[in-house]
Amino acid sequence: MELTNKQITVIFKALCDENRVQILRILQNGELCACHLLEALNLSQPTLSHHMKVLCDSGLVVGRKDGKWMHYSISEEGTEIAVKALRELTKVDLSESGECCCK
C-alpha cells in the first residue's frame, strides 16, 4: 500500500516539533500517563493535549483511557509506517528516467 502525500505529511508534521520529539524520547521507556508527561515536559495541559493529538493522528503514538487519565505509548505499527514513508520518499529509481536529461 502506497501512502498518500497527505498521510506522509501528517507523519512528518508530528516529527517537526521539538516538544513532540521529546515526548517520543520519553515514551521510548514505555507507556506513560499524561500526568507524568506533564511533569516531565513542563507544559500546560492544553498544550500537551494538542501535541498528543498530533502524535496520535500521525499513528506514531496510541492512547488508552484509564479512568480520567490517558496513557500513551509508541505504536509499533505507526513506527513501521513512518519508516516506510521515509524510504518511499527517498528511494531513487533511475530505471524510469532513462538517460540523464543534462547531456
Side-chain angles (χ1 to χ4, degrees), residues 3 7-8 10-12 14-15 24 58-60 75-89:
L3 297 168
Q7 290 170 313
I8 292 170
V10 169
I11 292 167
F12 287 103
L15 296 170
L24 288 171
S58 75
L60 292 169
S75 165
E76 189 174 318
E77 181 182 350
T79 300
E80 290 173 14
I81 292 170
V83 168
K84 180 184 176 208
L86 182 59
R87 284 194 179 122
E88 186 179 299
L89 280 176

Side-chain angles (χ1 to χ4, degrees), residues 37-98:
L37 289 169
L38 279 170
E39 291 172 11
L41 295 164
N42 195 28
L43 297 173
S44 69
Q45 188 281 325
T47 300
L48 177 66
S49 202
H50 167 74
H51 288 309
M52 298 317 297
K53 178 175 177 6
V54 172
L55 286 166
C56 288
D57 287 350
S58 75
L60 292 169
V61 170
V62 291
R64 172 181 72 79
K65 188 136 175 95
D66 184 17
K68 69 175 187 169
W69 294 106
M70 284 295 292
H71 294 258
Y72 295 100
S73 60
I74 293 175
S75 165
E76 189 174 318
E77 181 182 350
T79 300
E80 290 173 14
I81 292 170
V83 168
K84 180 184 176 208
L86 182 59
R87 284 194 179 122
E88 186 179 299
L89 280 176
T90 58
K91 181 181 178 185
V92 177
D93 186 3
L94 299 176
S95 65
E96 290 184 23
S97 64

Side-chain angles (χ1 to χ4, degrees), residues 9-24:
T9 302
V10 169
I11 292 167
F12 287 103
K13 175 184 177 184
L15 296 170
C16 73
D17 181 90
E18 199 172 334
N19 286 313
R20 291 192 286 269
V21 170
Q22 184 62 30
I23 290 167
L24 288 171

